[in-house]
Amino acid sequence: MSEPNEPNDIDYADPATADVAPQRRKRRTSLVSRGQPMVWLTGGCVAVALLMTVTLLGFVLLQGLGTFWPQPVVQVSTTDGDTLLGIPSRAVDKADGTGQEILYRVGNFDVTGERFKYVREDAIAETNEPEWALTVERLENGIAIGYLDAIIHDGVRTEGRAEAWAKFQELYPQARAIFAKLKELEEYEIGGLADEEEVVRLKLRSVELEHGEGSTEYRQAVADAQPALEEMAARFTELNAERRELEDELAKFRMEMRTEAGVIVPNDPLYPDEPMMLHRVVRAFPANQLGTLDKVGIYFGRWWEYLTDVPREANSEGGIWPAIVGTVMLTFIMILVVLPIGVIAAIYLREYARQGLIVSVIRICVNNLAGVPSIVYGVFGLGFFCYTVGKWIDGGPEHAGFGHASAGGWWAGIGVAILLVAAAVVVGILGGRMGKSDKVGGEWQTRALGFATFFLWAGAVVTLGWLLATIPFFDGFHRAKLPDPTVGKSAMIWASLTLALLTLPVIIVSTEEALAAVPNSMREGSYACGASKWQTIRRIVLPRALPGIMTGMILAIARGTGEVAPLMLVGAVKLAPELPVAADFPYFGTNRSFMHLGFHVFDLGFQSPDSEAARPLLFTTVLVLIAIVVFLNITAIFIRSRLRRAFAGGAF
């Protein structure tokens, strides 16, 4: 019962209350029903995601971009009377909480046996930056830090630190030019001759395996190859003499450098009194005399070396060029394999297959494949691709462990396979016609014929696989090289196929979604114009689904480029002396092991013998890997945008 003073109790007939305006009751609406909390929640999640991404990228940029900036060399005198020369690396809290320790990079590993040294902050009596402290980056044994006492060229000494540094700058380019000539001679001339000799040896080995060592054919092949072998031997003698001349010439360029303790930095730790050869220096500079432009030049020079040179010192120095090439090639081969297979499979599932139990099971299997741990794919790739398919290619069925089938049994298998394929085609056609008819009970007959077709095709595939695995007329393509494997080992081609299998569900699912997003009215319009099923797919459906397919490709690139676990088993190695590309046919050494940026990061982080030296390079490699992934994704996004614009105004 309402109270008398409520607006509803106004008596409009009463003159005292008749002039009071009626008031409408305010109805309160909850925030939940207005949706405001969901706006705040979703917006907040976006902000958190952006913050996490920016924090990740910012941390990597901060750590990675500062790696190559040249640092001054500091001379530290301690209260104990010791002195050291080093580059300040970082400060760490002492374990007992009584202060900090400063970590200095002291270099000279071949002299002192240590690359870094901790000094208690409260034990430091004095620090200064010596004018002629020299930082030397070497081909071996890491950096050297000390003082340049003399330059020795052809027995003539130039002493005095300023004079010796000037002489170093004059002679260093000459020594590096001779060293480059020596490397070219060893890599191309001597290496190419060794390859030619290996080809001749393999030909003789092939004749030996086919006809026997004592056969007439083998003796004739040896006699035919003898002139070429003698010519190669003579050429080897000439090239080795030329190599010794260049090495003797390089030995004339030496630098006498001493550590803070006055010990000579040697050319070889086995000969401690022998001064260092000049060509072993990658870069040298008086760190405390550098101006800003000098530091900028060294900074970008180090970046150039890092991006274009090969690794040194267990990957803790040098460059990552082989890893960049390996990562990009692996990604391209993976995409070339997985994209057509995934798109074609999705087209069949979405456009051709009758939606039913079998298709549902296939979709469930594909989706489950996306959740399988990547290391499982690596184990499968190692067992199937490397040790089964690769061995079969190298040495045929016997080498792969299948054994040769008898000729009669193999030809009988050919007949069975032909019969199975023919039966599958006939039963499939009958099932298709039955499905279009209105015959009573036709649905069950159609299903039965569908199952029969499936099992016939499965039987045909199994039979063809058996025929291929046990073919009696094949002994492998690289039998002469056995027992050394050519492709029956970890290699780029197997790593690419393993990653293609890993990313296949991504392509299939995204392509199916893209095909489903094309309106059925466009298909029906195409059929109404007289187009066939394939014409409709090719000219109407696929062009409009391409942006979605490209999205799947972007996701596959991102996942494939960042995977490491399967690559550890099927191809990626710590150091690959040869790039997976070559100037000669077949140009792509897909049978070679390779370096990968993801594996390089793992190696630097967990397997490096010098974790302190590898730590800065770890973030720099991560930065390069992110840059490559972003570049590939931006390229795919650009193509997708062009496709969207091309079909945005299209009308059927």
Side-chain angles (χ1 to χ4, degrees):
M1 189 173 181
S2 61
E3 299 293 333
N5 56 349
E6 288 185 356
N8 287 343
D9 296 331
I10 296 174
D11 185 3
Y12 295 100
D14 184 0
T17 59
D19 296 335
V20 179
Q23 297 182 10
R24 181 177 297 176
R25 174 178 291 180
K26 294 182 179 178
R27 301 183 60 185
R28 293 182 178 179
T29 305
S30 69
L31 288 175
V32 175
S33 62
R34 291 180 182 176
Q36 289 296 329
M38 291 309 298
V39 175
W40 300 335
L41 179 62
T42 53
C45 289
V46 171
V48 171
L50 285 175
L51 181 63
M52 293 170 63
T53 305
V54 170
T55 302
L56 169 67
L57 295 178
F59 183 75
V60 172
L61 282 171
L62 184 65
Q63 297 287 335
L65 290 179
T67 300
F68 298 131
W69 187 256
Q71 301 293 331
V73 175
V74 177
Q75 185 184 49
V76 180
S77 302
T78 65
T79 54
D80 300 334
D82 295 334
T83 59
L84 68 84
L85 203 62
I87 301 171
S89 178
R90 59 191 173 93
V92 294
D93 294 331
K94 294 171 63 177
D96 56 5
T98 58
Q100 285 192 323
E101 290 180 324
I102 310 298
L103 181 64
Y104 289 94
R105 187 178 189 183
V106 295
N108 307 326
F109 178 74
D110 47 343
V111 178
T112 62
E114 57 185 358
R115 292 185 172 92
F116 289 83
K117 191 170 184 178
Y118 283 99
V119 179
R120 296 198 328 268
E121 191 175 24
D122 55 1
I124 297 176
E126 183 183 4
T127 61
N128 62 76
E129 297 181 358
E131 180 183 7
W132 285 106
L134 198 67
T135 301
V136 178
E137 299 171 11
R138 301 179 290 179
L139 290 175
E140 297 174 354
N141 297 316
I143 68 167
I145 300 176
Y147 302 99
L148 181 61
D149 281 358
I151 292 293
I152 306 168
H153 179 222
D154 203 10
V156 179
R157 290 177 62 91
T158 303
E159 298 182 342
R161 288 173 180 170
E163 293 80 3
W165 175 243
K167 197 66 176 178
F168 172 87
Q169 292 178 302
E170 176 190 344
L171 296 179
Y172 178 69
Q174 299 178 30
R176 292 294 291 185
I178 297 172
F179 181 62
K181 191 183 297 183
L182 175 63
K183 294 292 290 181
E184 184 178 354
L185 177 71
E186 291 177 338
E187 187 172 351
Y188 297 106
E189 298 284 341
I190 297 178
L193 206 55
D195 292 340
E196 292 179 17
E197 191 178 47
E198 178 67 9
V199 170
V200 174
R201 189 191 71 80
L202 290 176
K203 286 183 179 177
L204 292 177
R205 175 65 177 159
S206 298
V207 175
E208 180 186 354
L209 289 172
E210 187 173 356
H211 301 285
E213 188 175 3
S215 64
T216 305
E217 289 83 357
Y218 179 71
R219 289 197 296 272
Q220 183 62 42
V222 171
D224 294 341
Q226 196 61 32
L229 291 174
E230 291 176 356
E231 184 180 348
M232 289 179 195
R235 182 63 180 152
F236 262 125
T237 303
E238 293 176 7
L239 292 175
N240 283 326
E242 188 177 348
R243 177 170 62 181
R244 283 194 294 273
E245 289 179 5
L246 292 173
E247 289 174 345
D248 293 341
E249 187 69 22
L250 285 174
K252 297 177 181 177
F253 296 83
R254 294 183 181 272
M255 60 184 296
E256 189 174 295
M257 182 178 175
R258 294 179 183 273
T259 67
E260 176 68 14
V263 179
I264 288 180
V265 178
N267 185 66
D268 188 337
L270 297 176
Y271 305 96
D273 296 330
E274 186 177 311
M276 186 165 48
M277 289 185 181
L278 227 58
H279 73 277
R280 291 183 179 274
V281 176
V282 177
R283 185 179 295 103
F285 51 88
N288 298 329
Q289 297 183 31
L290 297 177
T292 303
L293 289 180
D294 297 328
K295 290 182 179 180
V296 170
I298 293 172
Y299 178 76
F300 285 107
R302 283 174 167 175
W303 263 109
W304 178 254
E305 178 197 354
Y306 191 66
L307 295 176
T308 60
D309 207 346
V310 297
R312 303 191 309 272
E313 295 295 299
N315 291 338
S316 62
E317 293 187 9
I320 55 171
W321 173 243
I324 294 174
V325 173
T327 304
V328 173
M329 271 195 67
L330 177 78
T331 306
F332 274 115
I333 295 175
M334 177 197 75
I335 288 298
L336 287 177
V337 173
V338 72
L339 193 60
I341 295 176
V343 170
I344 291 171
I347 288 174
Y348 179 80
L349 289 174
R350 177 58 60 178
E351 300 292 334
Y352 286 108
R354 185 188 297 274
Q355 304 303 310
L357 177 63
I358 294 179
V359 172
S360 299
V361 170
I362 292 174
R363 285 203 176 99
I364 291 172
C365 293
V366 169
N367 292 330
N368 286 336
L369 276 177
V372 174
S374 58
I375 190 67
V376 176
Y377 288 94
V379 173
F380 170 78
L382 181 67
F384 180 72
F385 291 127
C386 302
Y387 294 156
T388 302
V389 179
K391 280 190 171 184
W392 184 85
I393 294 173
D394 275 347
E398 288 288 349
H399 187 59
F402 299 119
H404 288 297
S406 63
W410 193 81
W411 284 112
I414 289 285
V416 171
I418 293 173
L419 288 175
L420 287 172
V421 171
V425 171
V426 171
V427 173
I429 293 174
L430 289 175
R433 291 181 177 177
M434 186 69 69
K436 294 177 181 178
S437 68
D438 298 329
K439 187 178 179 180
V440 177
E443 183 179 353
W444 288 103
Q445 295 177 6
T446 302
R447 287 188 178 182
L449 290 175
F451 280 112
T453 305
F454 173 78
F455 286 113
L456 285 171
W457 276 117
V461 170
V462 171
T463 306
L464 289 174
W466 177 81
L467 291 171
L468 196 62
T470 61
I471 181 171
F473 318 108
F474 177 66
D475 290 320
F477 293 110
H478 306 287
R479 188 183 173 197
K481 279 190 175 181
L482 294 175
D484 293 335
T486 303
V487 294
K489 60 180 183 179
S490 301
M492 169 164 283
I493 182 65
W494 306 135
S496 302
L497 293 179
T498 303
L499 286 187
L501 183 62
L502 187 149
T503 54
L504 186 61
V506 178
I507 297 292
I508 292 178
V509 172
S510 61
T511 303
E512 271 209 87
E513 294 298 325
L515 293 173
V518 178
N520 280 329
S521 59
M522 303 191 77
R523 294 181 177 84
E524 293 165 359
S526 176
Y527 299 146
C529 291
S532 65
K533 183 85 171 178
W534 170 240
Q535 287 173 329
T536 301
I537 292 173
R538 185 165 63 92
R539 296 185 178 180
I540 303 298
V541 179
L542 269 183
R544 284 152 183 82
L546 273 179
I549 297 173
M550 295 297 294
T551 300
M553 192 180 77
I554 292 170
L555 296 174
I557 288 174
R559 181 168 188 195
T561 308
E563 279 294 342
V564 176
L567 302 182
M568 295 167 63
L569 299 176
V570 293
V573 293
K574 179 184 181 72
L575 178 62
E578 293 180 323
L579 290 176
V581 292
D584 304 323
F585 183 80
Y587 308 112
F588 296 104
T590 51
N591 60 329
R592 299 174 185 167
S593 297
F594 63 100
M595 295 185 68
H596 186 269
L597 283 173
F599 185 78
H600 193 74
V601 170
F602 168 78
D603 180 67
L604 288 173
F606 301 99
Q607 295 186 328
S608 177
D610 187 358
S611 58
E612 286 294 342
R615 184 176 177 177
L617 294 179
L618 178 65
F619 292 101
T620 310
T621 306
V622 171
L623 181 62
V624 174
L625 178 58
I626 291 176
I628 289 177
V629 173
V630 170
F631 172 76
L632 293 175
N633 284 345
I634 287 177
T635 303
I637 290 171
F638 174 75
I639 297 173
R640 184 180 65 183
S641 301
R642 294 289 301 267
L643 292 173
R644 278 180 176 165
R645 283 200 298 269
F647 296 108
F652 177 74

